[in-house]
Amino acid sequence: ATLQEIREKQVVKHLWKMGQRLIDGLNEICRTYGIEEASAYADPTPSMPRFGWAAVKNNPEEPPMHAYFFSECIRYGLFFSNWHVGFVNYSHKEADIDEALEICDFVMGKIKKKF
């Protein structure tokens, strides 16, 4: 019954679409603010997006922008994990992704001024 529901509602297609929307939006925000050291990507699929600063991958000490971004997102109601992939679920709609991106855009503006 679960598999039938997943097929009928095209759940996988929806997950990939929402995840890619989030990834593309985050990367556009980074480009807008000229923050080249941060990026979003599918890990391994768009429904499991990862976002962070390149320096974190090989550095046990987080760059200040990295830690600031995630703490500020939480402050404004958006939980992103700073050490793990995110997960998009079937309940996420375009408006939810847009709201998340608005928070990210606001926080990136703060980062650009602060750092």
Side-chain angles (χ1 to χ4, degrees):
T2 300
L3 292 174
Q4 183 177 345
E5 186 98 355
I6 288 170
R7 280 191 290 269
E8 287 175 5
K9 293 185 177 179
Q10 298 186 6
V11 172
V12 173
K13 181 178 180 180
H14 176 79
L15 295 176
W16 283 48
K17 180 180 176 187
M18 294 301 104
Q20 194 62 54
R21 183 181 184 93
L22 182 60
I23 290 167
D24 292 345
L26 286 166
N27 287 329
E28 180 61 32
I29 290 166
C30 289
R31 280 190 296 275
T32 297
Y33 289 101
I35 300 174
E36 297 174 12
E37 61 273 19
S39 66
Y41 55 94
D43 187 14
T45 68
S47 61
M48 296 171 62
R50 185 181 293 259
F51 178 75
W53 273 251
V56 173
K57 292 178 185 174
N58 299 316
N59 184 356
E61 204 171 302
E62 292 180 349
M65 288 187 290
H66 178 86
Y68 184 81
F69 174 82
F70 290 103
S71 65
E72 287 297 292
C73 281
I74 290 169
R75 180 177 175 192
Y76 293 102
L78 175 63
F79 179 75
F80 269 135
S81 174
N82 64 343
W83 56 271
H84 199 276
V85 297
F87 297 94
V88 175
N89 67 55
Y90 186 69
S91 70
H92 289 126
K93 305 300 181 220
E94 288 184 3
D96 300 311
I97 302 301
D98 292 345
E99 181 180 2
L101 292 171
E102 285 175 19
I103 292 169
C104 292
D105 184 59
F106 176 73
V107 172
M108 282 296 186
K110 291 179 71 171
I111 284 174
K112 194 64 176 177
K113 289 177 186 173
K114 184 175 178 80
F115 294 94

